[in-house]
């Protein structure tokens, strides 16, 4: 960014600390604002988190007998009631994990299209996940390693940073025209009418 005389144009710098009153002031970006890189990156990171969750669920399903043997100290023999109960527990865990991952994927799509409530929900879930990982690490319950929670923790931190940016907030809170669908009196054809 050079001026006409070849010198660099001054760049507006933000202070290191801003009061909450300044941060809470309404932002009015134009309705035609393009999707910022922070929003696209944040939605992509949520999708990456979903992929990591799918990999984790598949690994859990493949190593289920070993997990039960190590964590509960049970040996699963085929045809026993314990093995049947273990299979039910695994099915419930996989189904619940699949539902959570599908919801997270839906939130990623909504973030891509500029939904503010989806952006805030994902940031809240990421914050809770980060705090839980920190508490587990401090209490000694779980170590943060590549085999356990490091990748999901890193993705949560990056999601939080990307979606909390000013550009992502402005894009999600931009004014939009609402599309109203209604039927005409004389026919069945659906007509779109724009409201201001």
């Amino acid at each position: 960014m050079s001026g006409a005389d070849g010198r660099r144009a001054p760049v507006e710098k933000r202070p290191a600390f801003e009061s909450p009153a300044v941060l809470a002031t309404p932002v009015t970006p134009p309705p035609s604002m393009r999707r910022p890189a922070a929003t696209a990156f944040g939605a992509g990171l949520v999708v990456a988190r979903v992929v990591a969750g799918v990999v984790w669920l598949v690994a859990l399903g493949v190593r289920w007998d070993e997990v039960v043997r190590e964590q509960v100290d049970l040996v699963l023999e085929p045809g026993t009631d314990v093995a049947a109960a273990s299979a039910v527990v695994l099915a419930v865990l996989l189904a619940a994990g699949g539902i959570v991952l599908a919801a997270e994927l839906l939130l990623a799509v909504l973030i891509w299209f500029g939904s503010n409530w989806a952006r805030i929900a994902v940031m809240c879930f990421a914050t809770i996940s980060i705090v839980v990982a920190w508490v587990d690490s401090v209490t000694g319950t779980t170590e943060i390693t590549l085999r356990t929670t490091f990748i999901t923790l890193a993705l949560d931190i990056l999601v939080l940073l990307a979606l909390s940016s000013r550009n992502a907030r402005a894009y999600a809170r931009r004014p939009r025209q609402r599309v109203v669908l209604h039927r005409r009196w004389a026919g069945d054809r659906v007509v779109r009418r724009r409201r201001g």
Side-chain angles (χ1 to χ4, degrees):
M1 298 184 44
S2 299
D5 58 356
R7 285 191 262 163
R8 299 191 118 214
V11 177
E12 180 182 341
K13 293 187 178 187
R14 289 176 34 200
F17 174 78
E18 295 177 89
S19 74
V22 172
L23 293 174
T25 55
V27 178
T28 54
S32 62
M33 178 180 181
R34 295 182 65 182
R35 182 179 299 107
T39 299
F41 185 62
L45 286 171
V46 174
V47 171
R49 189 158 181 353
V50 169
V51 169
V54 168
V55 168
W56 186 84
L57 285 176
V58 168
L60 178 68
V62 168
R63 300 182 59 205
W64 180 248
D65 291 344
E66 181 183 336
V67 169
V68 170
R69 188 171 52 251
E70 289 177 1
Q71 300 297 325
V72 187
D73 199 27
L74 283 177
V75 177
L76 299 177
E77 296 177 15
T80 62
D81 290 340
V82 175
S86 174
V88 169
V89 169
L90 176 62
V92 168
L93 285 175
L94 293 178
I99 290 169
V100 168
L101 292 176
E104 201 167 357
L105 189 61
L106 176 64
L107 289 173
V109 171
L110 291 172
I111 289 169
W112 178 264
F113 288 114
S115 172
N116 193 40
W117 71 265
R119 179 183 73 91
I120 291 171
V122 167
M123 288 191 305
C124 288
F125 293 141
T127 302
I128 291 168
S129 176
I130 292 166
V131 169
V132 166
W134 175 75
V135 168
D136 284 347
S137 176
V138 169
T139 59
T141 308
T142 306
E143 287 186 35
I144 298 176
T145 64
L146 280 175
R147 296 185 71 200
T148 58
T149 59
F150 180 76
I151 293 175
T152 56
L153 181 63
L155 289 173
D156 283 336
I157 291 169
L158 290 173
V159 163
L160 195 59
L161 289 172
L163 295 181
S164 64
S165 71
R166 285 186 182 202
N167 288 340
R169 180 184 69 150
Y171 180 71
R173 297 176 70 186
R174 74 192 186 285
R176 296 176 206 138
Q177 292 181 341
R178 297 188 184 262
V179 176
V180 178
L181 298 177
H182 71 283
R183 296 196 181 270
R184 285 189 171 184
W185 293 102
D188 291 346
R189 197 166 54 103
V190 175
V191 178
R192 289 178 175 242
R193 184 178 67 189
R194 294 207 177 256
R195 260 193 191 166

